[in-house]
Amino acid sequence: MSRERLGERMSRDRQDNGRGGELSVAEEDGACIVTPSGDWVVATIGRFDRRLRELQGAAEPDSIVIDLSGLGRIDTAGAYLLSRLLRASSDPEADRHFRGEHPVARRLIREVRERYEPCPAPEEAGPGLVTVFARIGAGLEGAWREAVETFAFFGRTMLTAGRTLLQPWRLRWTPTVWVMETAGVNALPIIAVLAFFIGAVVAYMGADLLATFGVSVFTVELVGVSVLREFGALITAIMLAGRSDSAFTASIGSMKMQQEIDAMRVLGLDPFEVLVLPRVIALVLMAPLLTFAAMLSGLFGGMMVSWAVMDISPNFFIDRLQSSMSWEHFFVGMSKAPVFGLVVAIIGCHQGLKVGGDVESLGSRTTASVVQAIFSVIVLDAFFAMLYLEIGI
């Protein structure tokens, strides 16, 4: 093909693809005649927005007439600009507002106007006390609804787990082991370091307090009871909530935004079986192991501080810990770990599946996931403390 023929073909293609839009306004017998011509599509009408806004404010809405005879192609953007002129008219569908013929323009203008939803006016705030109680009530209602949805999600997860136990070949071991590594093994360093300093702080504060009574040696018991019974499991659960729970929500939420979960359902895959159950199993299995590591690290931190501050040797610390501490404290702490892991995994996956289609929803759900997990863990820890004290453990 020669260069001249190629140039002629490109010029003809540009003409076929459309011509730039034009706009003219004229007065005729008291009516304001608006004449759009050419193609009124999103790529060509940006320069008319300000002019049409000025015309909308200056002209009487019932006097506007749109001449469609010279109009070429039109899309919803162009129809929106033209329908905005008739929005304040008493009868925007009247024939007096239109002149000329076009195959789709008038129908498209009507469709755009019918689907236009203006932002509602902000509600006027009532008296300050009423507003406060209204916000409190809305917050309590939202919390109750969130709790019901979480329990429903937990129930469906348990049903999925029961069905998988009856059909063990459906369990996906590869993602389960992968989550055990990323959420469990990779969290071990930060949990161990944090537990070490918690044990050190407890020992330091306990030594300073017990020294006033001349019973500094009981710092060993203080460190043992606090770390084995409470802080080991609690610190592990809080770190899982901040680290793994947010990762669960973000990963599942991003899949929800990209419609990957919808694709799973189309393929006949259950998202609870593919995404939720492996994460739940992984955290339930890894939480006791991480709690055990946190206990050892916390006791080691308390032992180092006792050695440095009160000159209690490691041998004496370990001997007194074995002789005066009951194994019940260890089992109490370990019994909490799988429950905390289950709660953290359930909340993280639930919030991930509730993510909408925008990034703002992903961020808010991730924040809600961490806050709800930490709150639930602390409430459950208080419940366990009261339960074990009541039964004498």
Side-chain angles (χ1 to χ4, degrees):
M1 181 181 295
S2 65
R3 182 174 302 178
E4 292 78 6
R5 293 181 62 186
L6 179 61
E8 292 176 359
R9 181 172 179 179
M10 293 176 63
S11 176
R12 185 168 60 253
D13 290 342
R14 284 195 297 267
Q15 292 177 359
D16 292 340
N17 287 338
R19 48 201 174 92
E22 298 294 338
L23 175 67
S24 62
V25 181
E27 292 285 340
E28 181 180 320
D29 297 332
C32 179
I33 310 300
V34 179
T35 306
S37 59
D39 291 338
W40 274 57
V41 294
V42 67
T44 62
I45 61 173
R47 63 184 185 275
F48 302 134
D49 180 65
R50 178 179 296 181
R51 187 176 177 186
L52 289 177
R53 287 184 183 275
E54 295 175 352
L55 178 63
Q56 183 181 0
E60 181 68 25
D62 288 327
S63 67
I64 295 177
V65 178
I66 301 176
D67 189 351
L68 304 175
S69 57
L71 188 61
R73 294 186 303 160
I74 185 172
D75 61 4
T76 54
Y80 169 75
L81 290 186
L82 296 176
S83 68
R84 198 169 59 188
L85 296 172
L86 305 176
R87 188 178 301 162
S89 173
S90 58
D91 187 8
E93 285 296 320
D95 292 335
R96 68 175 185 274
H97 288 301
F98 298 95
R99 177 185 297 179
E101 297 294 333
H102 191 276
V104 298
R106 187 168 176 179
R107 178 174 58 84
L108 192 59
I109 291 173
R110 183 182 70 252
E111 294 287 342
V112 170
R113 185 178 61 255
E114 290 177 353
R115 284 160 176 77
Y116 172 76
E117 296 182 1
C119 296
E123 298 181 0
E124 296 184 0
L129 188 60
V130 175
T131 303
V132 170
F133 280 111
R135 295 187 63 179
I136 293 175
L140 292 175
E141 181 183 2
W144 172 255
R145 188 182 302 112
E146 192 73 30
V148 172
E149 292 177 356
T150 302
F151 278 109
F153 186 89
F154 171 75
R156 183 171 178 182
T157 303
M158 293 299 101
L159 289 176
T160 304
R163 185 174 64 248
T164 306
L165 288 177
L166 297 177
Q167 301 172 340
W169 60 88
R170 299 178 65 93
L171 182 61
R172 300 173 181 270
W173 285 109
T174 300
T176 301
V177 174
W178 181 79
V179 176
M180 290 174 66
E181 179 184 357
T182 56
V185 178
N186 294 347
L188 180 60
I190 184 63
I191 290 177
V193 170
L194 187 59
F196 174 87
F197 285 107
I198 291 294
V201 170
V202 171
Y204 187 82
M205 298 298 295
D208 183 68
L209 177 63
L210 295 175
T212 60
F213 302 99
V215 288
S216 300
V217 71
F218 286 105
T219 303
V220 178
E221 284 80 357
L222 177 62
V223 173
V225 171
S226 60
V227 171
L228 294 178
R229 196 178 185 98
E230 294 293 337
F231 288 126
L234 189 60
I235 292 302
T236 300
I238 291 176
M239 288 305 301
L240 287 177
R243 183 184 179 277
S244 303
D245 191 76
S246 58
F248 291 173
T249 303
S251 61
I252 296 178
S254 62
M255 296 178 66
K256 182 79 176 295
M257 292 173 57
Q258 296 172 7
Q259 299 181 348
E260 295 180 20
I261 295 179
D262 295 334
M264 287 183 183
R265 293 191 174 99
V266 171
L267 294 174
L269 300 176
D270 185 2
F272 279 78
E273 185 178 315
V274 177
L275 300 176
V276 177
L277 195 57
R279 287 169 169 80
V280 171
I281 294 175
L283 278 198
V284 170
L285 294 178
M286 292 304 300
L289 300 179
L290 293 174
T291 300
F292 180 72
M295 290 177 178
L296 294 180
S297 182
L299 292 176
F300 183 73
M303 183 177 65
M304 290 296 100
V305 170
S306 300
W307 191 14
V309 175
M310 297 176 296
D311 200 23
I312 297 178
S313 66
N315 290 333
F316 179 80
F317 188 95
I318 295 174
D319 290 340
R320 186 171 181 85
L321 195 65
Q322 291 178 342
S323 61
S324 61
M325 293 294 299
S326 172
W327 281 96
E328 291 179 351
H329 301 298
F330 171 77
F331 291 119
V332 166
M334 290 298 294
S335 66
K336 302 176 184 178
V339 179
F340 290 164
L342 175 64
V343 169
V344 169
I346 288 293
I347 292 177
C349 296
H350 177 224
Q351 294 297 324
L353 289 176
K354 290 183 66 176
V355 171
D358 55 351
V359 179
E360 183 178 359
S361 174
L362 178 62
S364 62
R365 288 299 175 183
T366 303
T367 303
S369 173
V370 175
V371 173
Q372 289 182 17
I374 294 176
F375 176 80
S376 301
V377 163
I378 294 176
V379 171
L380 281 174
D381 185 68
F383 173 78
F384 275 117
M386 292 185 293
L387 175 64
Y388 286 130
L389 288 176
E390 286 292 329
I391 63 178
I393 299 179

